[in-house]
Amino acid sequence: QLLESGGGFVQPGGSLRLSCAASGFTFSNHVMNWVRQAPGKGLEWVSAISGSGRDTFYADSVKGRFTISRDNSKSTLYLQMDTLRAEDTALYYCARNGGGLGVWGQGTMVTVSS
Amino acid sequence: QSALTQPRSVSGSPGQSVTVSCTGTSSDVGGYNYVSWYQHHPGKAPKVMIYDVDQRPSGVPDRFSGSKSGNTASLTISGLQAEDEADYYCCSYAGYFTLLFGGGTKVTVL
């Protein structure tokens, strides 16, 4: 099971940190991802992190502004979002690799607006 | 990183078969056997229906099947049922741990 938190309303240029608490599986064994869906739009892959946390990967649209990390001792995934833009407004999901993206959370909403 | 190309919508009557296509390039769909398909009902978490092109997770009805030819992957729903009405997204591995989604296809059961 995955449970996201940390979403909210923020002004352009602001920051927000999302969390995703995992349970029911060995967290450190899995690559983890963030995927988002803007209102009325499709799914967009945002970022991924290896099981150890050593390797991180980003979509071009967020590179240099977002930072993915994980704490395997707490079975928790994070997404630090800085210099937020209106186009970052979306429902953010965390998802676990394994049989495709085999496990998804319910999402946390991020709204960037002045 | 351009999105994979899917039709905006497909429709069929109950019991019929529908196919959703997903076209990419040799750098994503054509380059790896890591295409997956997700069913998304509004307000719910996406659910994987097919992974690794043609593998069906436990619990997914066998009326869902996947295939790939060159740079195009396909999801076929045979024996369409009312509960299959949803948005469907394809997703391909694109190298270096990155993933690419399609724009989504709305499947309507007439």
Side-chain angles (χ1 to χ4, degrees):
Chain A
Q1 183 181 358
L2 299 173
L3 185 63
E4 302 93 339
S5 62
F9 190 95
V10 62
Q11 292 187 334
S15 297
L16 215 52
R17 188 199 199 200
L18 306 184
S19 298
C20 170
S23 61
F25 63 94
T26 305
F27 183 67
S28 59
N29 285 355
H30 293 272
V31 171
M32 296 295 296
N33 301 264
W34 288 99
V35 176
R36 69 184 180 184
Q37 184 176 34
K41 303 291 187 180
L43 298 175
E44 179 189 16
W45 176 80
V46 172
S47 182
I49 186 168
S50 62
S52 67
R54 183 173 57 236
D55 301 303
T56 58
F57 308 87
Y58 301 92
D60 288 345
S61 57
V62 306
K63 200 171 295 182
R65 299 187 300 121
F66 289 11
T67 303
I68 191 172
S69 63
R70 64 193 298 161
D71 185 337
N72 286 342
S73 69
K74 296 181 178 179
S75 295
T76 301
L77 174 72
Y78 302 101
L79 185 68
Q80 176 67 40
M81 303 185 296
D82 298 318
T83 319
L84 282 161
R85 306 167 179 167
E87 54 264 36
D88 296 318
T89 294
L91 184 61
Y92 284 74
Y93 297 98
C94 61
R96 189 197 80 178
N97 269 32
L101 295 175
V103 181
W104 294 67
Q106 290 297 315
T108 186
M109 187 68 200
V110 172
T111 302
V112 184
S113 176
S114 55
Chain B
Q1 294 178 343
S2 298
L4 306 175
T5 301
Q6 296 182 234
R8 293 288 295 271
S9 65
V10 299
S11 61
S13 301
Q16 287 187 330
S17 292
V18 295
T19 296
V20 181
S21 61
C22 170
T23 301
T25 70
S26 58
S27 296
D28 37 71
V29 175
Y32 308 94
N33 286 324
Y34 295 127
V35 176
S36 49
W37 290 89
Y38 301 88
Q39 179 188 67
H40 193 200
H41 288 107
K44 297 185 68 176
K47 176 185 176 183
V48 61
M49 307 303 283
I50 296 288
Y51 67 95
D52 294 354
V53 177
D54 59 5
Q55 299 299 299
R56 197 170 44 251
S58 172
V60 172
D62 60 7
R63 62 178 185 274
F64 289 87
S65 63
S67 63
K68 190 186 84 167
S69 178
N71 296 336
T72 298
S74 298
L75 171 73
T76 298
I77 309 173
S78 305
L80 198 62
Q81 298 186 7
E83 61 261 36
D84 299 333
E85 184 162 297
D87 295 323
Y88 290 83
Y89 294 88
C90 63
C91 178
S92 175
Y93 182 69
Y96 299 104
F97 281 75
T98 63
L99 299 175
L100 203 53
F101 280 94
T105 298
K106 183 174 181 58
V107 172
T108 301
V109 182
L110 301 172

